[in-house]
Amino acid sequence: MSLDVSPTLLAQAREGRVDQADFLATVRDSLPYAYQVVAGLSTELAAGDDEFTTDNTTPSDEQRAQLLRALASNAIRGSLEDHFGVKLAFVNCHRVGAFRPGAEDSDAYREFTSLHNQIRNQSPELRSC
């Protein structure tokens, strides 16, 4: 299960309206490592002039699982992007990049998400991620 959903949030979903703040609180509480990584990247990106910033920390298996769950879900990933004002990109199961919104057409974004960058970021210890 990706998220620890409260009865209140589940009731909202059943009614067809989910409060964005409630959803993000659930993401933050359920996937704290992933949430902290995105929060840190967005802060770092906002503080500088670079096109993007990246976290290349090798996380524990539990932390890696949080990143995978957060970034594999369109709803979670999109909510994090909207909340933090970034465009996220993901290489392997641990390297997250935060780009400025609209960066999808930039050389930096295309390079980060390229096939050759995916291959360059392979390592035997991350084989099972």
Side-chain angles (χ1 to χ4, degrees), residues 20-51:
Q20 184 75 5
D22 290 345
F23 183 71
L24 281 166
T26 299
V27 170
R28 182 193 65 230
D29 295 344
S30 300
L31 306 170
Y33 178 77
Y35 189 93
Q36 290 169 0
V37 167
V38 176
L41 289 173
S42 69
T43 299
E44 187 177 320
L45 186 63
D49 294 328
D50 293 332
E51 289 183 71

Side-chain angles (χ1 to χ4, degrees), residues 43-63:
T43 299
E44 187 177 320
L45 186 63
D49 294 328
D50 293 332
E51 289 183 71
F52 75 100
T53 188
T54 186
D55 178 78
N56 202 18
T57 305
T58 302
S60 69
D61 286 344
E62 181 181 331
Q63 292 167 330

Side-chain angles (χ1 to χ4, degrees), residues 4 33 120:
D4 298 320
Y33 178 77
R120 286 194 305 251

Side-chain angles (χ1 to χ4, degrees), residues 40-129:
L41 289 173
S42 69
T43 299
E44 187 177 320
L45 186 63
D49 294 328
D50 293 332
E51 289 183 71
F52 75 100
T53 188
T54 186
D55 178 78
N56 202 18
T57 305
T58 302
S60 69
D61 286 344
E62 181 181 331
Q63 292 167 330
R64 184 178 299 123
Q66 287 187 32
L67 287 173
L68 286 167
R69 291 194 310 266
L71 296 173
S73 164
N74 289 344
I76 296 172
R77 183 185 197 149
S79 293
L80 289 169
E81 289 175 333
D82 290 345
H83 178 70
F84 289 109
V86 296
K87 174 65 178 169
L88 297 172
F90 197 44
V91 177
N92 289 348
C93 55
H94 68 285
R95 188 167 181 217
V96 181
F99 291 78
R100 299 184 190 285
E104 297 88 343
D105 291 329
S106 72
D107 290 340
Y109 184 86
R110 284 193 298 272
E111 171 63 25
F112 190 86
T113 60
S114 70
L115 299 177
H116 55 270
N117 193 42
Q118 176 71 38
I119 291 175
R120 286 194 305 251
N121 280 276
Q122 299 299 302
S123 64
E125 61 272 6
L126 298 174
R127 185 79 184 226
S128 67
C129 67

